[in-house]
Amino acid sequence: MSEFQGRVAIVTGAAGNLGAALCDALAVRGARIAMLDHNQDALARCQAALPADTDAEIFATDLIDANSVATAIATVRERFGTIDILANVAGGFSMGPSLEDTPDKTWNLMMDLNARSVFNMCRAVMPIMRDAGRGRIVNVSARAALAGKGHMGPYCASKAAVITLTETLAAETKHAGITVNCILPGTVDTPQNRSSMPDQDHTTWVSPAALADVILFLASDAARCVTGAAIPVFGRS
């Protein structure tokens, strides 16, 4: 029997490419899944695509709004009883002008989608994991967090914030039976990226399924001694 059998996992951004792949990987391993995203219809489609016997429920949630997150977490706990795994997959990407020409709206959007969403979710879930004396949190940062790039300042900064949040929370929970790690994907092989970069060698990119495998490892007992890590998952790109 899989070690994920009966474990309760929250996946944010569950209607996206990586979120859907992770939900599918958790489902085939017997996990019970709370699927969070802002798009109710897209969530319903992803839920319908899971194996027929999957114990999964969808929760339309504004991850940027702390009250919406708190309500969702309370409902998840009422429905499933506990929370064993939190995978913060939701996020966004935007190129832009030079930093001096970047409007507040662009800066705030990247910080909200990539950093505030992680902060809100971790803050809401931590008391439940502390009470249980165990938990696994896996955040999704990006290779772009490691060095600033031109016309990508808000995105790079927001993903760097995810690494710092991960390290901070890992330090605060290292004696609580909880691990907190993040992954740093390179270019992910999605329909959107193929469309925007048609001349690139897609075979060197990282598939959502491969990223899901790394998240599953970090959520497993095999990674019980790994916390505060930022794991590069670049493929061959």
Side-chain angles (χ1 to χ4, degrees), residues 99-212:
L99 197 63
E100 64 192 90
D101 294 323
T102 297
D104 288 350
K105 180 179 180 181
T106 300
W107 175 266
N108 292 338
L109 178 63
M110 288 294 95
M111 286 296 173
D112 281 344
L113 291 178
N114 295 321
R116 186 178 295 278
S117 63
V118 171
F119 169 68
N120 282 342
M121 287 297 301
C122 289
R123 182 172 56 177
V125 167
M126 278 310 309
I128 299 171
M129 291 186 172
R130 282 192 184 277
D131 286 347
R134 72 174 314 278
R136 299 284 185 268
I137 297 176
V138 185
N139 301 320
V140 177
S141 180
R143 175 165 55 183
L146 299 177
K149 304 290 184 182
H151 305 284
M152 289 173 57
Y155 176 74
C156 293
S158 65
K159 285 299 191 180
V162 174
I163 296 178
T164 301
L165 287 170
T166 298
E167 293 170 341
T168 298
L169 195 53
E172 293 173 350
T173 61
K174 62 184 178 180
H175 300 302
I178 300 165
T179 65
V180 189
N181 297 287
C182 67
I183 63 170
L184 311 178
T187 305
V188 183
D189 190 4
T190 66
Q192 296 88 339
N193 283 339
R194 287 193 177 216
S195 177
S196 64
M197 295 178 278
D199 298 328
Q200 298 294 314
D201 182 0
H202 307 149
T203 65
T204 67
W205 295 354
V206 183
S207 71
L211 287 170

